[in-house]
Amino acid sequence: LSHAQIFDLNNFIPSADEAFTLAAEIENQSILVNFKLVPETYLYLDKIILKDSKDSNINFKLLGNKEEIEDVFFGLVEIVDSDFKIKFSSKEKEKISLNYQGCYKNKVCYPSKMKNIDIKYDKKSISSVKID
């Protein structure tokens, strides 16, 4: 059985933290955030927002496939419905907030979630990154 079949058989709806798991890594002094999505879930592309401590938006590059759908909650939107990554430059910032929102198809739309990305530096190079 696939995850989706198990969820449907039990009428189980995963929590937002179960539906979307995140991990961060460093690549050539850029930050990659890996999003793992449970089957039958998706994230709204325009609800993925990175901000620094001064509340300024940080641009990112999507590494994955997006598509347009007619969403029951928000109308015509771009979504990502399979595992993907976002890549961005931290520009020597130590804490970045990451907001995102998604749905479990035809069942529930999750409230917006916020995670902190903590970045440590050794001189001017990124030495570690973690999401909490």
Side-chain angles (χ1 to χ4, degrees):
L1 291 176
S2 74
H3 283 102
Q5 290 168 319
I6 292 168
F7 293 151
D8 286 341
L9 286 175
N10 298 327
N11 209 15
F12 173 76
I13 297 173
S15 71
D17 287 331
E18 292 167 331
F20 314 113
T21 55
L22 283 61
E25 62 184 280
I26 305 162
E27 181 184 88
N28 299 328
Q29 294 306 300
S30 289
I31 308 289
L32 283 176
V33 177
N34 302 304
F35 288 80
K36 300 271 186 220
L37 281 62
V38 164
E40 302 297 309
T41 62
Y42 58 89
L43 286 172
Y44 297 105
L45 190 55
D46 69 343
K47 305 282 186 203
I48 300 171
I49 301 167
L50 291 169
K51 291 191 178 262
D52 65 18
S53 58
K54 294 184 174 108
D55 210 32
S56 298
N57 283 344
I58 297 171
N59 293 324
F60 64 86
K61 180 178 180 181
L62 173 72
L63 306 173
N65 297 319
K66 63 183 177 181
E67 66 177 273
E68 263 189 3
I69 65 163
E70 186 64 41
D71 184 72
V72 98
F73 301 101
F74 295 108
L76 188 63
V77 291
E78 286 186 311
I79 63 157
V80 185
D81 64 359
S82 58
D83 296 353
F84 69 98
K85 298 178 183 185
I86 60 171
K87 183 177 184 175
F88 62 95
S89 171
S90 66
K91 296 190 175 89
E92 296 184 30
K93 300 190 176 5
E94 293 185 356
K95 191 177 281 281
I96 294 172
S97 68
L98 167 62
N99 290 282
Y100 58 94
Q101 184 176 10
C103 296
Y104 184 62
K105 289 182 182 170
N106 303 318
K107 301 223 190 262
V108 68
C109 210
Y110 299 105
S112 182
K113 292 285 288 183
M114 201 268 299
K115 302 274 186 183
N116 287 313
I117 302 172
D118 294 312
I119 305 165
K120 302 268 187 273
Y121 296 88
D122 180 15
K123 298 189 171 57
K124 292 200 179 253
S125 294
I126 301 170
S127 60
S128 71
V129 60
K130 75 172 190 169
I131 298 176
D132 60 28

mmCIF file of all heavy atoms in Angstrom, residues 98-125:
data_model
loop_
_atom_site.group_PDB
_atom_site.id
_atom_site.type_symbol
_atom_site.label_atom_id
_atom_site.label_comp_id
_atom_site.label_asym_id
_atom_site.label_seq_id
_atom_site.Cartn_x
_atom_site.Cartn_y
_atom_site.Cartn_z
ATOM 1 N N LEU A 98 11.214 31.204 7.692
ATOM 2 C CA LEU A 98 10.658 30.548 6.514
ATOM 3 C C LEU A 98 9.185 30.267 6.789
ATOM 4 O O LEU A 98 8.860 29.566 7.749
ATOM 5 C CB LEU A 98 11.400 29.240 6.233
ATOM 6 C CG LEU A 98 10.766 28.272 5.231
ATOM 7 C CD1 LEU A 98 10.645 28.900 3.847
ATOM 8 C CD2 LEU A 98 11.567 26.986 5.156
ATOM 9 N N ASN A 99 8.327 30.850 5.988
ATOM 10 C CA ASN A 99 6.889 30.599 6.084
ATOM 11 C C ASN A 99 6.454 29.782 4.876
ATOM 12 O O ASN A 99 6.980 29.967 3.777
ATOM 13 C CB ASN A 99 6.111 31.918 6.091
ATOM 14 C CG ASN A 99 6.309 32.684 7.370
ATOM 15 O OD1 ASN A 99 5.721 32.359 8.388
ATOM 16 N ND2 ASN A 99 7.163 33.690 7.330
ATOM 17 N N TYR A 100 5.477 28.897 5.096
ATOM 18 C CA TYR A 100 4.931 28.106 3.994
ATOM 19 C C TYR A 100 3.540 27.638 4.367
ATOM 20 O O TYR A 100 3.160 27.609 5.545
ATOM 21 C CB TYR A 100 5.844 26.917 3.651
ATOM 22 C CG TYR A 100 6.109 25.976 4.798
ATOM 23 C CD1 TYR A 100 5.341 24.834 4.987
ATOM 24 C CD2 TYR A 100 7.130 26.237 5.711
ATOM 25 C CE1 TYR A 100 5.583 23.974 6.046
ATOM 26 C CE2 TYR A 100 7.375 25.384 6.774
ATOM 27 C CZ TYR A 100 6.600 24.255 6.936
ATOM 28 O OH TYR A 100 6.835 23.405 7.996
ATOM 29 N N GLN A 101 2.753 27.295 3.352
ATOM 30 C CA GLN A 101 1.400 26.802 3.571
ATOM 31 C C GLN A 101 1.048 25.832 2.468
ATOM 32 O O GLN A 101 1.431 26.020 1.312
ATOM 33 C CB GLN A 101 0.397 27.954 3.595
ATOM 34 C CG GLN A 101 -1.015 27.488 3.915
ATOM 35 C CD GLN A 101 -1.990 28.654 4.025
ATOM 36 O OE1 GLN A 101 -1.670 29.789 3.686
ATOM 37 N NE2 GLN A 101 -3.185 28.357 4.497
ATOM 38 N N GLY A 102 0.305 24.795 2.845
ATOM 39 C CA GLY A 102 -0.111 23.810 1.864
ATOM 40 C C GLY A 102 -1.380 23.101 2.269
ATOM 41 O O GLY A 102 -2.023 23.459 3.256
ATOM 42 N N CYS A 103 -1.712 22.078 1.486
ATOM 43 C CA CYS A 103 -2.960 21.333 1.687
ATOM 44 C C CYS A 103 -2.741 19.831 1.519
ATOM 45 O O CYS A 103 -1.805 19.402 0.852
ATOM 46 C CB CYS A 103 -4.006 21.752 0.662
ATOM 47 S SG CYS A 103 -4.521 23.458 0.785
ATOM 48 N N TYR A 104 -3.634 19.084 2.126
ATOM 49 C CA TYR A 104 -3.785 17.666 1.861
ATOM 50 C C TYR A 104 -4.973 17.602 0.905
ATOM 51 O O TYR A 104 -6.080 18.034 1.254
ATOM 52 C CB TYR A 104 -4.047 16.906 3.163
ATOM 53 C CG TYR A 104 -4.137 15.407 3.007
ATOM 54 C CD1 TYR A 104 -3.053 14.674 2.544
ATOM 55 C CD2 TYR A 104 -5.294 14.723 3.336
ATOM 56 C CE1 TYR A 104 -3.126 13.297 2.405
ATOM 57 C CE2 TYR A 104 -5.375 13.340 3.197
ATOM 58 C CZ TYR A 104 -4.290 12.643 2.731
ATOM 59 O OH TYR A 104 -4.367 11.277 2.588
ATOM 60 N N LYS A 105 -4.736 17.121 -0.325
ATOM 61 C CA LYS A 105 -5.682 17.259 -1.434
ATOM 62 C C LYS A 105 -7.110 16.880 -1.057
ATOM 63 O O LYS A 105 -7.367 15.786 -0.567
ATOM 64 C CB LYS A 105 -5.233 16.412 -2.626
ATOM 65 C CG LYS A 105 -4.010 16.986 -3.306
ATOM 66 C CD LYS A 105 -3.616 16.168 -4.518
ATOM 67 C CE LYS A 105 -2.366 16.744 -5.143
ATOM 68 N NZ LYS A 105 -1.813 15.888 -6.162
ATOM 69 N N ASN A 106 -8.017 17.823 -1.341
ATOM 70 C CA ASN A 106 -9.463 17.630 -1.179
ATOM 71 C C ASN A 106 -9.906 17.320 0.249
ATOM 72 O O ASN A 106 -11.017 16.854 0.459
ATOM 73 C CB ASN A 106 -9.969 16.523 -2.119
ATOM 74 C CG ASN A 106 -9.651 16.828 -3.558
ATOM 75 O OD1 ASN A 106 -9.790 17.963 -3.999
ATOM 76 N ND2 ASN A 106 -9.193 15.836 -4.287
ATOM 77 N N LYS A 107 -9.013 17.522 1.228
ATOM 78 C CA LYS A 107 -9.398 17.208 2.601
ATOM 79 C C LYS A 107 -9.213 18.396 3.548
ATOM 80 O O LYS A 107 -10.135 18.762 4.247
ATOM 81 C CB LYS A 107 -8.604 16.020 3.127
ATOM 82 C CG LYS A 107 -8.802 14.766 2.297
ATOM 83 C CD LYS A 107 -8.962 13.570 3.172
ATOM 84 C CE LYS A 107 -8.912 12.309 2.364
ATOM 85 N NZ LYS A 107 -10.107 11.710 1.992
ATOM 86 N N VAL A 108 -8.020 18.977 3.579
ATOM 87 C CA VAL A 108 -7.756 20.046 4.537
ATOM 88 C C VAL A 108 -6.681 20.982 3.995
ATOM 89 O O VAL A 108 -5.778 20.558 3.286
ATOM 90 C CB VAL A 108 -7.324 19.465 5.913
ATOM 91 C CG1 VAL A 108 -5.973 18.790 5.831
ATOM 92 C CG2 VAL A 108 -7.300 20.530 6.994
ATOM 93 N N CYS A 109 -6.831 22.262 4.320
ATOM 94 C CA CYS A 109 -5.792 23.236 4.030
ATOM 95 C C CYS A 109 -5.161 23.589 5.379
ATOM 96 O O CYS A 109 -5.868 23.947 6.320
ATOM 97 C CB CYS A 109 -6.408 24.466 3.379
ATOM 98 S SG CYS A 109 -5.262 25.265 2.277
ATOM 99 N N TYR A 110 -3.865 23.424 5.470
ATOM 100 C CA TYR A 110 -3.170 23.675 6.731
ATOM 101 C C TYR A 110 -2.982 25.169 6.964
ATOM 102 O O TYR A 110 -2.811 25.926 6.009
ATOM 103 C CB TYR A 110 -1.788 23.003 6.714
ATOM 104 C CG TYR A 110 -1.842 21.507 6.551
ATOM 105 C CD1 TYR A 110 -1.512 20.910 5.338
ATOM 106 C CD2 TYR A 110 -2.203 20.686 7.610
ATOM 107 C CE1 TYR A 110 -1.554 19.534 5.184
ATOM 108 C CE2 TYR A 110 -2.251 19.305 7.465
ATOM 109 C CZ TYR A 110 -1.925 18.734 6.250
ATOM 110 O OH TYR A 110 -1.966 17.382 6.103
ATOM 111 N N PRO A 111 -2.955 25.593 8.229
ATOM 112 C CA PRO A 111 -2.592 26.991 8.494
ATOM 113 C C PRO A 111 -1.135 27.229 8.099
ATOM 114 O O PRO A 111 -0.343 26.289 8.022
ATOM 115 C CB PRO A 111 -2.765 27.142 10.006
ATOM 116 C CG PRO A 111 -3.183 25.830 10.541
ATOM 117 C CD PRO A 111 -3.245 24.839 9.424
ATOM 118 N N SER A 112 -0.803 28.464 7.889
ATOM 119 C CA SER A 112 0.576 28.823 7.549
ATOM 120 C C SER A 112 1.517 28.380 8.678
ATOM 121 O O SER A 112 1.181 28.492 9.852
ATOM 122 C CB SER A 112 0.656 30.338 7.360
ATOM 123 O OG SER A 112 1.947 30.716 6.992
ATOM 124 N N LYS A 113 2.681 27.852 8.298
ATOM 125 C CA LYS A 113 3.702 27.410 9.270
ATOM 126 C C LYS A 113 4.902 28.345 9.167
ATOM 127 O O LYS A 113 5.192 28.872 8.104
ATOM 128 C CB LYS A 113 4.176 25.988 8.962
ATOM 129 C CG LYS A 113 3.160 24.901 9.167
ATOM 130 C CD LYS A 113 2.923 24.566 10.612
ATOM 131 C CE LYS A 113 4.092 23.822 11.221
ATOM 132 N NZ LYS A 113 3.887 23.428 12.594
ATOM 133 N N MET A 114 5.612 28.506 10.287
ATOM 134 C CA MET A 114 6.831 29.304 10.297
ATOM 135 C C MET A 114 7.929 28.506 10.978
ATOM 136 O O MET A 114 7.715 27.913 12.023
ATOM 137 C CB MET A 114 6.614 30.615 11.043
ATOM 138 C CG MET A 114 7.623 31.695 10.687
ATOM 139 S SD MET A 114 9.099 31.822 11.683
ATOM 140 C CE MET A 114 8.527 32.155 13.294
ATOM 141 N N LYS A 115 9.091 28.449 10.318
ATOM 142 C CA LYS A 115 10.279 27.794 10.875
ATOM 143 C C LYS A 115 11.417 28.798 10.858
ATOM 144 O O LYS A 115 11.452 29.694 10.014
ATOM 145 C CB LYS A 115 10.681 26.572 10.040
ATOM 146 C CG LYS A 115 9.629 25.502 9.902
ATOM 147 C CD LYS A 115 9.681 24.555 11.042
ATOM 148 C CE LYS A 115 8.703 23.405 10.805
ATOM 149 N NZ LYS A 115 8.635 22.489 11.892
ATOM 150 N N ASN A 116 12.346 28.632 11.792
ATOM 151 C CA ASN A 116 13.550 29.454 11.804
ATOM 152 C C ASN A 116 14.707 28.677 11.191
ATOM 153 O O ASN A 116 14.875 27.495 11.480
ATOM 154 C CB ASN A 116 13.924 29.863 13.228
ATOM 155 C CG ASN A 116 12.977 30.900 13.773
ATOM 156 O OD1 ASN A 116 12.671 31.885 13.104
ATOM 157 N ND2 ASN A 116 12.496 30.683 14.974
ATOM 158 N N ILE A 117 15.485 29.348 10.380
ATOM 159 C CA ILE A 117 16.707 28.776 9.822
ATOM 160 C C ILE A 117 17.859 29.474 10.523
ATOM 161 O O ILE A 117 18.023 30.697 10.411
ATOM 162 C CB ILE A 117 16.786 28.992 8.293
ATOM 163 C CG1 ILE A 117 15.565 28.364 7.609
ATOM 164 C CG2 ILE A 117 18.090 28.417 7.745
ATOM 165 C CD1 ILE A 117 15.456 28.687 6.133
ATOM 166 N N ASP A 118 18.608 28.719 11.313
ATOM 167 C CA ASP A 118 19.746 29.262 12.050
ATOM 168 C C ASP A 118 21.028 28.948 11.298
ATOM 169 O O ASP A 118 21.296 27.788 10.980
ATOM 170 C CB ASP A 118 19.806 28.655 13.458
ATOM 171 C CG ASP A 118 18.612 29.073 14.308
ATOM 172 O OD1 ASP A 118 18.308 30.277 14.324
ATOM 173 O OD2 ASP A 118 17.989 28.191 14.932
ATOM 174 N N ILE A 119 21.808 29.990 11.047
ATOM 175 C CA ILE A 119 23.033 29.853 10.249
ATOM 176 C C ILE A 119 24.219 30.273 11.104
ATOM 177 O O ILE A 119 24.195 31.342 11.727
ATOM 178 C CB ILE A 119 22.952 30.738 8.983
ATOM 179 C CG1 ILE A 119 21.682 30.394 8.188
ATOM 180 C CG2 ILE A 119 24.203 30.560 8.130
ATOM 181 C CD1 ILE A 119 21.308 31.424 7.153
ATOM 182 N N LYS A 120 25.231 29.432 11.150
ATOM 183 C CA LYS A 120 26.468 29.735 11.885
ATOM 184 C C LYS A 120 27.590 29.930 10.872
ATOM 185 O O LYS A 120 27.620 29.285 9.835
ATOM 186 C CB LYS A 120 26.828 28.588 12.826
ATOM 187 C CG LYS A 120 25.756 28.249 13.845
ATOM 188 C CD LYS A 120 25.960 29.007 15.121
ATOM 189 C CE LYS A 120 25.017 28.561 16.213
ATOM 190 N NZ LYS A 120 23.742 29.218 16.239
ATOM 191 N N TYR A 121 28.503 30.825 11.239
ATOM 192 C CA TYR A 121 29.617 31.166 10.346
ATOM 193 C C TYR A 121 30.952 30.904 11.033
ATOM 194 O O TYR A 121 31.077 31.047 12.241
ATOM 195 C CB TYR A 121 29.548 32.644 9.937
ATOM 196 C CG TYR A 121 28.322 32.967 9.126
ATOM 197 C CD1 TYR A 121 27.127 33.328 9.743
ATOM 198 C CD2 TYR A 121 28.353 32.893 7.747
ATOM 199 C CE1 TYR A 121 26.000 33.603 8.992
ATOM 200 C CE2 TYR A 121 27.218 33.172 6.988
ATOM 201 C CZ TYR A 121 26.050 33.530 7.624
ATOM 202 O OH TYR A 121 24.931 33.801 6.888
ATOM 203 N N ASP A 122 31.929 30.537 10.227
ATOM 204 C CA ASP A 122 33.316 30.429 10.643
ATOM 205 C C ASP A 122 34.066 31.424 9.758
ATOM 206 O O ASP A 122 34.205 31.202 8.563
ATOM 207 C CB ASP A 122 33.824 28.993 10.431
ATOM 208 C CG ASP A 122 35.269 28.834 10.855
ATOM 209 O OD1 ASP A 122 35.780 29.728 11.564
ATOM 210 O OD2 ASP A 122 35.884 27.830 10.474
ATOM 211 N N LYS A 123 34.474 32.534 10.345
ATOM 212 C CA LYS A 123 34.967 33.688 9.591
ATOM 213 C C LYS A 123 33.809 34.152 8.703
ATOM 214 O O LYS A 123 32.781 34.519 9.209
ATOM 215 C CB LYS A 123 36.236 33.363 8.825
ATOM 216 C CG LYS A 123 37.381 32.972 9.747
ATOM 217 C CD LYS A 123 38.664 32.868 8.985
ATOM 218 C CE LYS A 123 39.861 32.705 9.854
ATOM 219 N NZ LYS A 123 40.009 31.669 10.776
ATOM 220 N N LYS A 124 33.932 34.127 7.382
ATOM 221 C CA LYS A 124 32.819 34.560 6.532
ATOM 222 C C LYS A 124 32.154 33.396 5.807
ATOM 223 O O LYS A 124 31.276 33.597 4.983
ATOM 224 C CB LYS A 124 33.303 35.610 5.523
ATOM 225 C CG LYS A 124 33.680 36.912 6.180
ATOM 226 C CD LYS A 124 33.677 38.042 5.177
ATOM 227 C CE LYS A 124 34.025 39.346 5.866
ATOM 228 N NZ LYS A 124 32.903 40.221 6.027
ATOM 229 N N SER A 125 32.563 32.185 6.127
ATOM 230 C CA SER A 125 31.987 31.004 5.485
ATOM 231 C C SER A 125 30.924 30.379 6.380
ATOM 232 O O SER A 125 31.051 30.368 7.600
ATOM 233 C CB SER A 125 33.070 29.957 5.216
ATOM 234 O OG SER A 125 33.989 30.439 4.277
#
